[in-house]
Structures are given as C-alpha cells and as structure tokens.
Amino acid sequence: MAQRIDGRKIASQIKNELAEEMTRLKAENFRVCLAVIQVGEDPASSVYVNNKKKACALIGIESLSFELRQEASERELLSLITFLNTEPKVTGILVQLPLPAHINERNIFEAINPDKDVDGFHPLNIGRLWTGEKGFLPCTPAGILQLLKRSRISLDGKNCVIIGRSNIVGKPLAALLLQENATVSIAHSRTKNLPALAKQADILIVAVGQKEMITSEYVKKGAVVIDVGIHRDENNKLCGDVDFADVESIASAITPVPGGVGPMTIAMLMDNCVSISRN
C-alpha cells in the first residue's frame, strides 16, 4: 500500500517554522504585511481569501483586505494596485483568482511590483525562476517541491512526468524539478499515447483538470503520484485528477485529495511573504 503524503501535516510544520521566524523578525522591528484583493463575491474565492487571512494571523503577518464589486473596472483594480505598489507598509500583494471576464489577468499580473508579487505570477519572477535567480516562486509548484523533499523523495536523476502545461502549475513546476536535477517531460491534451508516457515516470504529477482521469493504466508500479486536481464527485465529495482507490495499490507514495497539495499552496504563500525579509 502506498505511503500517503500528508500535506496538512507538512503545511503545519512550515507554518510553525514561519511563525518562529516572524517572532524573531518582529523583535528586530521587521514587519510583513500582505494586501489581498478580491473582485466580486465568488463563494469559493471568499473561502480561499479567509483561509489566507487565518494563515497570516497564525504566523504573525499583518493582512489588509480590499474587496471590489463584481462590476469594478480593470482601471479601478489597476489604480488600487498602483497605490499598493508604492505603499511602504505593504510588502506583498495578492489578487485572488479568478477575476471577472472583463478584466485581463495578464495586465493585472504585470502591474504588480515584482518585488511584492507573492503569487510569483509576474513575468519577471517567471524569468527569474527559469534562469535560477532569486525571486518569488508560484505557490502550488513550490508546495509540491516541499512535499517531495520533506517526504524524503529524491528527485536527482528521476524521470518526472507532469500532465498539464498551465502557467500556474505545469510550466513553473518543470523549471523547479529541472533545478533539482530531474529529467522532466510535460504532457498535455495533444500528447500521443499518454498512458505509455505517464507509465515511464518515477514521479507522476497530475494537473490536468479532469476528475479521476488517471487510473492505474497510467502509473508504473512503485511510482510517486502527486495529484493537483480538485473536484466534486457524484456524492459531492472532494476528489482529484487521480483515481485514488485504483492507483494507491501500485504507487509507492501518493497525495490524497483533500489533504495533499491543497494545504501546501497557502503555506508557500506565507513562505513567500516572509521571504521578503531574507532578500
């Protein structure tokens, strides 16, 4: 039976470490302040924003909340970002996704000061990632890397297959894994004979966005399987991109949904916020 990689436990460890670091920083009169912007009242977004505020409070990070109406224009949002970019008190800026359809996400990402871009979405931070320079890392890929490292799963020389090529997970994760000396393949909807490619993986990371798509047909015996997806099944229970019951019996380690990758995203957001003091 596969080892279940406990994202909640590892995320809690990271948050405790960050809380201790913040205690030291406050003793040195260093303050961290995260500004969170939400446009509209999407219920899921509201839950995520509240979870981020709670994490800030736990660690000792000040948080500011800015709530814009659903109809707010792109210009209004850009104006707020411009203000926060120049506000000395604010050390990190986060714009909660998704944004309403009338707002161009790329324009928003590019407007945030790269040195306050704690989501790691600014093109400059993406470039820093690919060239191995210091900068903010996208939170979900950084969380996956920490899950593997803190579970003592070696990446050196391993064959890693990522299913999913998004700018938020698949592509930046490939850069991180390459820095750890893994051999990386990125698969997607146009990949031919996907099961055969996936079955070559020592470490299979799935961010495809399709409920329980990945079965044992895709997984080599003894592989590590990281499931980034999150969905609701026919019983309204959370599930991932991986058919957990089918894959668990042949994998050596696997992340559950919920309780795997999800908690790590907020933990690494908090790490990005605190990392400002390390630069």
Side-chain angles (χ1 to χ4, degrees):
M1 190 66 68
Q3 167 199 352
R4 293 195 184 194
I5 300 175
D6 190 341
R8 290 193 179 102
K9 181 179 179 181
I10 295 172
S12 180
Q13 291 170 350
I14 291 170
K15 289 176 184 177
N16 288 338
E17 292 166 9
L18 292 172
E20 291 178 5
E21 187 172 354
M22 278 304 305
T23 299
R24 294 193 299 270
L25 290 171
K26 286 180 177 179
E28 298 168 5
N29 292 318
F30 192 97
R31 296 293 185 269
V32 176
C33 178
L34 173 65
V36 181
I37 304 171
Q38 181 179 354
V39 183
E41 299 178 352
D42 177 72
S45 292
S46 297
V47 169
Y48 292 138
V49 166
N50 286 333
N51 286 341
K52 289 164 185 174
K53 291 178 185 176
K54 289 177 183 177
C56 285
L58 176 68
I59 292 164
I61 296 171
E62 183 179 353
S63 64
L64 301 175
S65 181
F66 297 87
E67 299 170 358
L68 303 182
R69 68 194 191 286
Q70 180 78 16
E71 299 77 22
S73 68
E74 184 173 308
R75 180 177 293 182
E76 287 179 77
L77 178 53
L78 289 172
S79 177
L80 175 57
I81 291 170
T82 299
F83 164 72
L84 295 173
N85 281 341
T86 57
E87 171 54 53
K89 176 181 179 179
V90 173
T91 54
I93 301 170
L94 180 149
V95 178
Q96 181 64 42
L97 300 179
L99 290 170
H102 65 276
I103 296 178
N104 186 306
E105 286 186 359
R106 174 175 288 185
N107 292 343
I108 303 308
F109 296 158
E110 292 180 355
I112 296 172
N113 180 344
D115 295 326
K116 295 187 179 185
D117 168 40
V118 290
D119 260 334
F121 293 160
H122 191 283
L124 181 59
N125 282 321
I126 294 169
R128 287 168 172 166
L129 168 60
W130 279 100
T131 55
E133 298 176 44
K134 184 177 288 186
F136 292 116
L137 300 178
C139 301
T140 299
I144 292 168
L145 186 61
Q146 284 299 312
L147 280 179
L148 293 167
K149 286 187 170 184
R150 290 178 182 242
S151 300
R152 299 183 179 179
I153 295 169
S154 172
L155 289 160
D156 191 51
K158 295 294 180 65
N159 187 9
C160 297
V161 175
I162 303 167
I163 305 179
R165 55 178 170 178
S166 74
N167 291 329
I168 292 175
V169 179
K171 292 176 185 176
L173 179 58
L176 287 176
L177 296 176
L178 286 170
Q179 290 175 15
E180 298 296 326
N181 300 315
T183 299
V184 181
S185 300
I186 303 179
H188 46 79
S189 59
R190 301 270 181 104
T191 299
K192 294 182 179 179
N193 203 359
L194 180 57
L197 175 63
K199 209 153 192 173
Q200 296 175 24
D202 301 310
I203 301 172
L204 179 64
I205 299 133
V206 187
V208 71
Q210 294 188 35
K211 178 170 67 74
E212 297 183 333
M213 170 184 163
I214 302 303
T215 64
S216 57
E217 178 189 5
Y218 292 77
V219 181
K220 178 173 71 174
K221 186 172 178 59
V224 175
V225 180
I226 305 295
D227 189 353
V228 186
I230 186 161
H231 313 275
R232 294 276 180 184
D233 65 15
E234 57 275 7
N235 299 314
N236 203 36
K237 291 185 178 180
L238 290 173
C239 63
D241 289 349
V242 175
D243 186 335
F244 187 90
D246 188 38
V247 171
E248 184 182 24
S249 61
I250 63 170
S252 62
I254 188 170
T255 56
V257 177
V261 173
M264 295 297 296
T265 298
I266 290 182
M268 299 316 297
L269 170 65
M270 297 298 104
D271 185 73
N272 274 349
C273 290
V274 176
S275 73
I276 294 165
S277 67
R278 305 173 195 144
N279 297 333

